Amino acid sequence: MPVDPVLAPLLDMIGNLPHMNPPFDVAALRLADEQPMPVFKAEVAEVRDLTLDTTAGPVAARLYNPAPGTELPLLFFMHGGGWVFGTIDTHDPLCRALASAAEVAVLSLDYPRAPEHRHPVALDTMRAALIAAAEQADDLGIDPERIAVGGDSAGGNLSAALCLKLRDEGGPAIAHQILFYPVIDKDFSRPSHAENATGYMLSGVMMRWFWEQYLGDADQEPGPLAAPIRAASLAGLPSATVITAEYDPLRDEGNAYAERLAAEGVAVTHNQTPGVIHGFASMLGMLPQADIAVGTAAKGLRRAFGLMDAVA
């Protein structure tokens, strides 16, 4: 279907912004990304900033608790932004929406960003933070036996990679993974990269630049902890909700990952959302598809956590 008409003026504006076109500048991208968007922000009973003490050092986080005083399951959330930008604040509306819709706690993390911190620093830090969160469950008011991980774009990449790392190296058991249009492979030969290379916010040239910042070498081929679809096996990973976008260079790799997870025995809910672009789930109150995506993710979480309405 055509691009949703709500997106047309946004895409026209984005296409003319200097920071969205090469040569890319880290500082300019971060500054632009941190400008508030006019999106809906759900009310959550308790929202507090905290610092997790981890073996990798202190990690800033924000806890969203829709039912203080109740031991809730936890979604451990990692923001997108090409591993280069994005913060707890930029993803505050999405985390609020997920906490409200799923009625679970959400812990949003600030991880070390590229290019100052290249792979695998962010992933190793997030593993340490997840272990610390489970160990500090009483202070956080969460159930350490019911933890999911999730994120969008680069955060989806870190979520998928974290599930692989925990499966192979040990750590808290993960009940579910939420992957919003994740970065899954460094492979620009898939049709969606050609079809959506320009004009849809995330461009092909920008995605190549993100990989260069993350790996430090434009020509380096990533291993499975950077490109999870390259893992020898996906068997034994947590159940997954994978949400992709029609007009997204990353569409086909996300779809391929969902298909491969299912083929290797992992329970998967996969929705390719028509008419939308990369990042659409953050456009709450602007696009009805964003609310639908959050609802799909919330249902996946509640099912995985065994909550009462999970079969609805």
Side-chain angles (χ1 to χ4, degrees):
M1 66 176 291
V3 173
D4 191 296
V6 171
L7 292 169
L10 175 65
L11 292 174
D12 287 343
M13 177 191 72
I14 288 172
N16 293 317
L17 293 174
H19 70 272
M20 295 297 290
N21 295 283
F24 300 112
D25 179 79
V26 171
L29 283 166
R30 288 176 178 170
L31 180 62
D33 184 61
E34 290 164 9
Q35 304 312 304
M37 287 182 62
V39 299
F40 175 74
K41 295 179 68 170
E43 292 293 330
V44 178
E46 179 188 27
V47 179
R48 62 183 171 103
D49 291 338
L50 54 93
T51 300
L52 286 175
D53 293 322
T54 84
T55 57
V59 176
R62 181 172 294 165
L63 180 67
Y64 301 83
N65 190 335
T70 304
E71 186 181 74
L72 292 177
L74 176 71
L75 171 63
F76 185 92
F77 185 88
M78 290 157 280
H79 64 75
W83 305 288
V84 172
F85 53 85
T87 66
I88 288 174
D89 288 330
T90 61
H91 283 66
D92 179 75
L94 181 55
C95 288
R96 286 173 174 271
L98 289 165
S100 177
E103 298 181 312
V104 303
V106 175
L107 187 66
S108 179
L109 286 298
D110 258 345
Y111 52 82
R113 299 180 300 186
E116 298 91 339
H117 304 280
R118 303 195 192 277
H119 175 73
V121 175
L123 178 60
D124 291 344
T125 302
M126 289 299 92
R127 181 174 184 265
L130 180 60
I131 292 170
E135 291 174 344
Q136 299 166 34
D138 288 345
D139 292 337
L140 296 174
I142 63 166
D143 180 356
E145 302 300 319
R146 291 189 292 174
I147 297 177
V149 301
D152 63 321
S153 193
N157 170 277
L158 291 171
S159 299
L162 185 55
C163 288
L164 284 168
K165 194 171 181 69
L166 292 169
R167 181 197 65 180
D168 296 342
E169 300 179 14
I174 302 302
H176 196 65
Q177 50 185 322
I178 300 290
L179 310 178
F180 291 102
Y181 28 83
V183 185
I184 289 296
D185 199 4
K186 187 190 177 195
D187 179 359
F188 303 101
S189 67
R190 290 186 171 91
S192 61
H193 273 284
E195 294 168 7
N196 305 316
T198 60
Y200 301 110
M201 188 168 72
L202 176 63
S203 65
V205 67
M206 179 179 279
M207 196 64 236
R208 291 174 187 270
W209 183 81
F210 284 145
W211 272 113
E212 183 178 359
Q213 307 315 299
Y214 190 48
L215 299 178
D217 182 347
D219 298 321
Q220 181 179 336
E221 286 302 314
L225 292 181
I229 202 168
R230 302 191 184 196
S233 172
L234 303 182
L237 289 175
S239 60
T241 299
V242 182
I243 296 170
T244 57
E246 181 180 7
Y247 293 98
D248 182 359
L250 306 184
R251 180 194 69 209
D252 291 349
E253 62 197 68
N255 292 350
Y257 196 64
E259 291 164 5
R260 191 173 157 207
L261 284 168
E264 297 190 33
V266 177
V268 178
T269 297
H270 171 219
N271 286 359
Q272 179 181 297
T273 307
V276 295
I277 62 173
H278 189 83
F280 80 92
S282 290
M283 300 177 186
L284 297 155
M286 299 169 59
L287 281 176
Q289 297 94 324
D291 297 316
I292 293 169
V294 167
T296 300
K299 186 175 181 180
L301 288 169
R302 293 185 65 81
R303 182 186 298 112
F305 289 143
L307 300 177
M308 291 302 293
D309 65 352
V311 297

